Amino acid sequence: MTHTPAPIDLLIVGAGFGGLYMLHTARQRGLTALVVEAAGGVGGTWYHNRYPGARVDIQSLEYSFGFDDALQQDWCWTERYAAQPELLAYANHVADRYALRDGILLDTRIAAAHWDEAALVWQVAAKDGRSWSARHLVLATGPLSTPNQPDFPGLSDFKGRVLHTAAWPHEPVDLTGLRVGVIGTGSSGVQTITTIAPQVAQLTVFQRTPTYAVPAHNGPLDKALEAQVKADYPAFRERNRKMMGGFGSMLPPNGFSAFSVSAEERERMFEERWQIGGFGLLGTFNDLIVNPAANELAGEFVRNKIRSIVHDPATAAALCPSHPIGCKRLCVDTGYYATFNRPNVRLVDLQTTPIDGFTATGVLAGGEEHTLDALILATGFDAMTGTMLRLDLRGRGGRSIQQHWRAGPLNYLGLCLSGFPNLYTLTGPGATAAFTNVIVAIEHQVQWIADTVTDLDARGVRTLEATPEAEAAWVAHVNAVAARTIYLGCNSWYLGANIPGKPRIFMPLFGFPAYVQKCAEVQQQGYAGFSLT
Ligand code: N01
C-alpha cells in the first residue's frame, strides 16, 4: 500500500453516531482525524434502515447525545420514540452543528487496513484506490451494519420484488394493494409488519421464532416531561449512566424478587409496567434477567397478553414464544399482536411449515404456495463482527482479523485486540453497547479512546496493544457474566447464533456502570493488560 507522508492521528471508519462523535472529540483534543464512510450520507443505522415504521426503542430524551448541554436543550424531539427520518435529521444536525462535514469522506468504502510495523502507523486503503496512513484506527462500523441475507435456496426464482429492511431503498416503496410477505419477526420485522399491514392487500408473515413485544405507547412527546428533563438534563444523563443499560432512570428497576410478592401483586406490577410501555417491564423485579424461574413469570405474563389480544387461538399459540423473555432483544411495538386479527394478515409458522422453496410468484411452505408481489427480508444482521470481518484488516506480522477471530471475537475491554496495535472497536464485541443505550455507550468509549490517545502522546508512547492474556481473560469475563443471566438460553445474535457457522461466543457485556469503572481503572493503572512501546 502507498504511504502518505504525514500520518493523521485518527482514521475513523463509519459516520454513524460513533464516527461523528469520535471526529468531534478528536478535534476538540487537537488531534487530526478523518472519517471515511461507505454510504452517501451520515447517520449509520438511521441512514440505511429506512423500512416502514423504523423507529428507536429507547425514549428519545434518552437516546440522544448528552455531551453538550446546548445541543440537548436546543433539539426538540417530536415523539416519545423518534422515527427514522427524525433520527437521521438529528445525525445531520450534529454533523452541521459541530462543522464535521469537512472531516468526512462519503461514498468511500474502506477495503484494507494494514499495520505498518516499521512506521508504526495503519496504512489504510479505500476500494477506489485512495489511501491514508494513520497513527490510530477506530472502527466505528456499528454492531448492526451488515445485513444478514440468509441463503434461501431458489430465492432467485421469485420474480417479485425482494427488499431487505436494513438496505431499504431511498426512493419511496409503494406497497399499497400488494400481496407482501415478510420473513423475520425481530424488531425490524415487528415494526415493518405493524406499519404495512393496513396498506397492503395481503400480508403473509413467515415466522421462525415467535417474539416478545411490549407496547411502546408511542405518541407526541409530552411537553411537560420534556421541560422537566431539560430543566435538569445533565443530572438526568448522570442518573442514566448509573443504570445497567445506560437508560431507564425515569422508570428504575425494582430492587426485589418476583417471588417476594404475591401472585396478584406480581400481576398488578407487571400490568403497571406494561401500561407504561417499553423495556421497563424487564425491571419489574430484580431477578427477571438472572433467575430463569422469575423470568418465566414475566414470559407467561406476555404470553397471556398475546392470548388475550389475538382472537384466533391457533395463531395466538403460534405467536407465543417459549424462550426466556429478554434473551433475544425485546421488541417495543405499536399493536404487533393485534395486527394478526386483521383479515388480510396471515401467520406462517416456519417451525411446523418450513420454507420449501420459491416459485416465480411466491413462497412454498408446508406444501402451499403463498402468492406474493413483494418479499421483505427482515432477517437481521451479521451482528457485531460481520462488518469488521469483511475488511482486509491485518495487524502485526500480517495476521488477519479473520485468523485472529477464527474461534470468536477475541478482544480486551471491548475496545482493543492483541496483535493489532492502536486499533479500537466502537460498540463492538466485548463492550456493553448491544445492551446499552448505544449513544451513551458511544460517548463513553469515544472519551476513553480520546483520553488514551492524548495520554499516550503526552507520555511519548507510540503503541498500545492488548496482551493475549488480558484478551483471553476479558472474553472469559464477558461469557461468565452472561452465564449468570438468562442470555445463554436462546439463539440470539448476541451469541452469533443467527448466522450459520458463526462461532458461538457471547459477544456483548452486560452491565454498563461496571464496564465504565473497569475501563477507568485500566487507565488509572497505567493501561493494565496492555503493552506499551
Ligand atoms: O434482526 P433479528 P432485526 N429463515 O436478528 C429471522 C436492533 N433494532 O433486524 O429468531 C427464517 O432480531 C429470525 O428468526 P430467528 C435491535 O437491537 C432495533 O429485527 O433467528 N427466518 C428473526 O425473527 C435488534 O435486536 C430497532 O429464528 C429467519 C429475524 O429474522 C437488532 O437490531 C429496530 C432466517 C431477525 O431478527 C436486530 O433486529 C430494528 C431464516 N433463514 C432493529 N434468518 C429498534 O430500535 C433470520 N430469520 C426498535
Side-chain angles (χ1 to χ4, degrees), residues 46 51 55-57 144 148 150 152 165 183-189 191 206 208-209 328-329 332 350 378-381 491 493 498:
W46 302 109
Y51 60 84
R55 68 174 67 249
V56 67
D57 56 5
L144 297 158
N148 171 31
F152 289 117
T165 47
I183 302 181
T185 54
S187 299
S188 305
Q191 292 182 332
F206 298 92
R208 187 166 70 179
T209 306
K328 288 167 181 268
R329 187 174 170 116
V332 179
L350 298 182
T379 44
F381 301 86
N491 290 328
W493 58 259
N498 62 328

Side-chain angles (χ1 to χ4, degrees), residues 464-485:
L464 169 92
E465 183 184 338
T467 66
E469 297 75 25
E471 202 175 45
W474 186 256
V475 174
H477 169 65
V478 170
N479 280 268
V481 171
R484 295 197 290 270
T485 69

